[in-house]
């Protein structure tokens, strides 16, 4: 059945490309909404088969918070965070490409993974809104995630971010005043702080003995402990999917200058309880391994090392696509 779903997606994708029409993220109604190309039957099937959650509609009726947490966790573990979808068709990013690559190769950007997550949640009966986010120190809003409303009671809010290098494997309730509880994962210890302009700051614990870069932004909690900023979420910026679609299509076509890191290849793999982050540009291929204490080990790789690592640990990643990425010198921005 998953093969049939992927064939259906591929037919739609090939039809779009062969017609010579370069589309944005499918189509959207005005600027308020951007419908995702996913039916209710597909959403139920993906939840049951791809995420391994049986009878999701029944669980939604019984315990919507439990279902939300399962979806957040399994989507994060099941899809590798990567810019790989940006290389499939040079100069084109859209939901159909993102959907096919996610289902067939288990690879997704923040846009493709969080967009399909939102569509699944909407079909299951949740009320959601896509929001924009910004890496600390960046000058651009370059990340997309979701807020889910009314899960536990009218007015409740949960943050769901299923595609982040910091690996958020749960839905975060936002019912705190200024500081969230402290959470632990296999890759870091973290908490959230509410900031100005209706923002939310995701922070990691400063590892003992670790020297942070000079540009790192630190937040001190009520007990005096320091945390370093990772991402800032804007909780009430409208039309996030429309903005991110337009922004990233301009990026891949070389029409906007961004932080250099956004132009190149990365791949995150959760491996043996650690987060392995591979980044590559035209100068070097680097692998960073982060453990649960936040300690990072760094090493360089050759192209053959990269091919071997992906072949062993990400078998769903086609070597043909990897070779295409290497041939592009790891840059997905078209001249």
């Amino acid at each position: 059945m998953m093969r049939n779903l992927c064939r259906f997606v591929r037919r739609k994708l090939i039809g779009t490309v062969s017609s010579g029409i370069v589309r944005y993220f499918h189509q959207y109604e005005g600027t308020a909404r951007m419908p995702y190309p996913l039916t209710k039957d597909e959403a139920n099937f993906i939840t049951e088969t791809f995420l391994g959650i049986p009878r999701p509609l029944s669980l939604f009726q019984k315990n919507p918070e439990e279902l939300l947490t399962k979806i957040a966790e399994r989507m994060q573990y099941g899809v590798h965070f990567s810019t790989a979808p940006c290389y499939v068709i040079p100069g084109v990013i859209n939901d159909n490409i993102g959907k096919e690559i996610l289902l067939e190769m288990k690879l997704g950007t923040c846009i493709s993974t969080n967009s399909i997550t939102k569509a699944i949640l909407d079909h299951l009966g949740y009320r959601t809104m896509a929001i924009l986010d910004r890496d600390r120190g960046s000058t651009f809003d370059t990340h997309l995630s979701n807020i889910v409303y009314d899960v536990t009671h009218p007015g409740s809010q949960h943050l769901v971010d299923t595609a982040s290098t910091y690996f958020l494997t749960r839905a975060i309730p936002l019912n705190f005043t200024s500081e969230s509880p402290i959470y632990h994962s296999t890759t870091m210890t973290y908490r959230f702080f509410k900031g100005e302009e209706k923002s939310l700051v995701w922070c990691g614990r400063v590892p003992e003995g670790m020297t942070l870069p000079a540009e790192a932004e630190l937040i001190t909690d009520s007990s005096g402990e320091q945390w370093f900023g990772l991402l800032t979420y804007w909780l009430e910026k409208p039309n996030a999917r429309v903005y991110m679609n337009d922004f990233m299509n301009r990026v891949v076509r070389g029409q906007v200058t961004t932080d250099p890191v956004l132009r190149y290849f990365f791949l995150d793999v959760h491996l043996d309880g650690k987060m392995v982050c591979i980044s590559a540009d035209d100068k070097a291929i680097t692998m960073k391994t982060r453990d649960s204490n936040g300690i990072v080990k760094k090493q360089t790789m050759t192209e053959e090392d990269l091919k071997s690592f992906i072949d062993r640990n990400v078998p769903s990643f086609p070597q043909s696509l990897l070779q295409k990425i290497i041939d592009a010198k790891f840059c997905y921005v078209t001249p």
Side-chain angles (χ1 to χ4, degrees):
M1 292 180 70
M2 181 61 77
R3 286 183 179 178
N4 291 337
L5 175 58
C6 292
R7 289 194 189 103
F8 169 75
V9 173
R10 189 184 297 110
R11 282 198 300 271
K12 292 180 69 176
L13 174 63
I14 292 173
T16 298
V17 175
S18 63
S19 68
I21 299 173
V22 177
R23 297 182 185 273
Y24 279 169
F25 272 58
H26 198 52
Q27 60 183 357
Y28 58 91
E29 298 169 5
T31 58
R33 292 183 64 245
M34 183 182 292
Y36 187 90
L38 189 76
T39 68
K40 188 168 185 176
D41 287 342
E42 288 176 328
N44 292 340
F45 180 77
I46 291 169
T47 307
E48 291 187 333
T49 305
F50 189 83
L51 301 180
I53 304 173
R55 299 180 295 280
L57 292 174
S58 176
L59 183 55
F60 174 77
Q61 296 297 327
K62 295 177 181 177
N63 194 331
E65 189 173 30
E66 179 184 347
L67 176 60
L68 184 65
T69 297
K70 285 185 176 182
I71 291 173
E73 177 186 32
R74 296 187 187 188
M75 187 66 81
Q76 184 75 81
Y77 276 105
V79 180
H80 301 292
F81 187 39
S82 178
T83 53
C86 300
Y87 298 83
V88 175
I89 301 176
V92 180
I93 290 180
N94 63 44
D95 280 339
N96 287 314
I97 295 174
K99 178 180 174 182
E100 179 184 12
I101 301 305
L102 186 146
L103 294 176
E104 288 201 348
M105 304 179 190
K106 300 181 180 179
L107 300 168
T109 64
C110 65
I111 303 174
S112 57
T113 306
N114 275 311
S115 291
I116 197 171
T117 299
K118 181 183 187 303
I120 290 169
L121 294 175
D122 288 342
H123 279 303
L124 291 175
Y126 293 97
R127 189 167 73 88
T128 69
M129 182 177 76
I131 59 171
L132 294 172
D133 323 310
R134 180 177 300 186
D135 283 298
R136 301 293 277 185
S138 174
T139 56
F140 296 93
D141 294 330
T142 56
H143 190 69
L144 187 78
S145 57
N146 296 297
I147 294 292
V148 186
Y149 299 95
D150 307 328
V151 176
T152 54
H153 59 272
S156 72
Q157 297 182 6
H158 286 69
L159 171 70
V160 175
D161 186 352
T162 55
S164 167
T165 192
Y166 306 113
F167 211 64
L168 188 62
T169 57
R170 65 179 72 212
I172 302 296
L174 303 184
N175 60 346
F176 55 90
T177 302
S178 59
E179 305 171 357
S180 76
I182 295 174
Y183 298 99
H184 303 277
S185 73
T186 58
T187 60
M188 66 187 307
T189 298
Y190 58 92
R191 75 185 316 177
F192 294 83
F193 296 85
K194 289 186 176 176
E196 299 177 349
E197 300 180 4
K198 296 183 178 179
S199 65
L200 182 71
V201 183
W202 184 6
C203 293
R205 173 172 280 163
V206 179
E208 185 176 349
M210 179 180 178
T211 301
L212 294 172
E215 64 271 17
E217 298 183 53
L218 297 177
I219 294 179
T220 303
D221 67 16
S222 56
S223 68
E225 183 175 5
Q226 286 192 317
W227 302 76
F228 64 96
L230 303 171
L231 277 172
T232 298
Y233 297 89
W234 310 112
L235 300 180
E236 293 191 9
K237 280 192 175 181
N239 303 329
R241 270 177 37 80
V242 176
Y243 167 86
M244 281 298 295
N245 163 69
D246 177 68
F247 178 77
M248 285 306 300
N249 271 283
R250 287 186 290 124
V251 168
V252 298
R253 294 168 191 162
Q255 297 170 350
V256 59
T257 302
T258 65
D259 303 327
V261 69
L262 294 177
R263 303 167 62 89
Y264 294 102
F265 174 74
F266 70 76
L267 170 69
D268 290 351
V269 181
H270 190 264
L271 189 64
D272 299 328
K274 298 178 181 180
M275 177 58 73
V276 178
C277 306
I278 296 174
S279 59
D281 58 20
D282 56 346
K283 299 179 179 64
I285 306 171
T286 304
M287 181 170 71
K288 296 179 180 178
T289 304
R290 185 174 64 244
D291 63 19
S292 59
N293 295 314
I295 303 299
V296 177
K297 295 181 179 180
K298 181 178 177 181
Q299 67 184 80
T300 58
M301 305 176 78
T302 66
E303 290 180 4
E304 290 306 313
D305 292 335
L306 177 61
K307 290 179 180 179
S308 178
F309 176 89
I310 289 179
D311 188 53
R312 292 193 316 271
N313 300 297
V314 194
S316 59
F317 196 133
Q319 286 288 325
S320 58
L321 176 58
L322 178 57
Q323 189 60 54
K324 186 175 184 178
I325 292 169
I326 292 172
D327 292 343
K329 297 182 178 180
F330 299 102
C331 182
Y332 59 77
V333 176
T334 57

